[in-house]
Amino acid sequence: LHLSMLKIISMFTATIRRTAVMTDDALQTAPSIRRLWPVDQPAILSHFLNLDRNIRHLRFGGGVGEDFLRGYAGAVLKVGSVIYGAFPDGELRAVGELRGLLDDWPMRAEAAFSVERDWQDRGIGDALVTRVIAAAQNRGVNTLHMLCLPENRKMQHLAVKHHAVLDLGPDEAVARLEPPWPTPFSLAEEFAGEAQGLTDALRRWAA
């Protein structure tokens, strides 16, 4: 048993090292995406305020004002949520949210996404969906829901691209998918990414 545990630890460590190299290579071509932390709160608020009226309507299911956005941004990092952000030009331009992790068993969660107008159609939304699905996988989420308005065709397209089952109703579209079980590789990949992401967040906060 002792030798088996050593072998598992050795394999896990090797996976982390390989993932770190792969992550460095991927950063050369992929949008810069990392987990968001409390030190990112001002950037999160700025992102939501930068959303134009139509995108706010699609993201929040109706017209919302600045007071609502300030309250939402202040609570988005609550316990049970995992939030990712895209920094394609060094600034936060898109957010992916994984919410409801502690509510049920088996675990069910909801995902939501917002991308600023000037940064749409550049693969950022697709990259965020991929990252949020991976986060759901690593937390043992059994069912992941993505809700949007029927006219939000971009979100529906992304959901179907990631093998979600889409239920389109008159007032709401619901995409449902079942993430796979976590693997040593998926866990190591997130661990390496979050360690680097936290370092970047603290660097930005201290600047």
Side-chain angles (χ1 to χ4, degrees), residues 57-73:
H57 176 79
L58 293 176
R59 166 61 187 83
F60 296 103
V64 295
E66 184 173 315
D67 288 343
F68 172 88
L69 294 175
R70 289 184 181 278
Y72 189 88

Side-chain angles (χ1 to χ4, degrees), residues 47-48 51 55 59 93-97 112-116 128:
H47 162 69
F48 285 135
L51 300 177
I55 295 176
R59 166 61 187 83
R93 303 298 185 183
V95 168
E97 307 169 41
F113 304 89
S114 55
V115 182
E116 294 176 17
L128 270 177

Side-chain angles (χ1 to χ4, degrees), residues 16-207:
I16 291 177
R17 290 172 178 168
R18 289 196 303 271
T19 300
V21 173
M22 293 174 64
T23 300
D24 288 341
D25 293 340
L27 286 175
Q28 303 301 319
T29 56
S32 178
I33 294 176
R34 64 168 174 81
R35 186 170 176 177
L36 300 180
W37 306 94
V39 295
D40 294 304
Q41 204 82 55
I44 294 171
L45 174 59
S46 178
H47 162 69
F48 285 135
L49 293 176
N50 284 338
L51 300 177
D52 64 34
R53 179 180 299 180
N54 183 58
I55 295 176
R56 291 183 189 184
H57 176 79
L58 293 176
R59 166 61 187 83
F60 296 103
V64 295
E66 184 173 315
D67 288 343
F68 172 88
L69 294 175
R70 289 184 181 278
Y72 189 88
V76 73
L77 290 170
K78 65 182 180 180
V79 175
S81 296
V82 181
I83 313 299
Y84 290 92
F87 296 78
D89 63 342
E91 300 296 329
L92 182 61
R93 303 298 185 183
V95 168
E97 307 169 41
L98 181 64
R99 304 194 303 263
L101 295 175
L102 304 178
D103 292 345
D104 300 286
W105 185 263
M107 287 188 182
R108 295 181 295 175
E110 179 183 338
F113 304 89
S114 55
V115 182
E116 294 176 17
R117 174 72 63 189
D118 291 343
W119 295 94
Q120 293 190 0
D121 303 315
R122 302 191 187 197
I124 294 175
D126 188 27
L128 270 177
V129 171
T130 298
R131 185 63 62 89
V132 168
I133 291 174
Q137 171 188 2
N138 287 340
R139 286 155 181 81
V141 172
N142 179 267
T143 305
L144 182 63
H145 290 95
M146 289 178 275
L147 284 66
C148 66
L149 294 175
E151 60 265 33
N152 194 345
R153 301 299 184 187
K154 289 184 178 181
M155 189 66 253
Q156 295 164 32
H157 172 75
L158 283 176
V160 172
K161 180 179 179 180
H162 287 267
H163 311 294
V165 176
L166 185 64
D167 182 11
L168 186 59
D171 302 315
E172 184 179 65
V174 180
R176 179 179 56 83
L177 58 86
E178 298 177 355
W181 284 105
T183 65
F185 179 80
S186 70
L187 292 168
E189 185 175 39
E190 181 173 345
F191 177 82
E194 289 200 359
Q196 181 61 47
L198 181 57
T199 300
D200 292 343
L202 292 174
R203 186 182 298 118
R204 286 172 56 88
W205 174 74

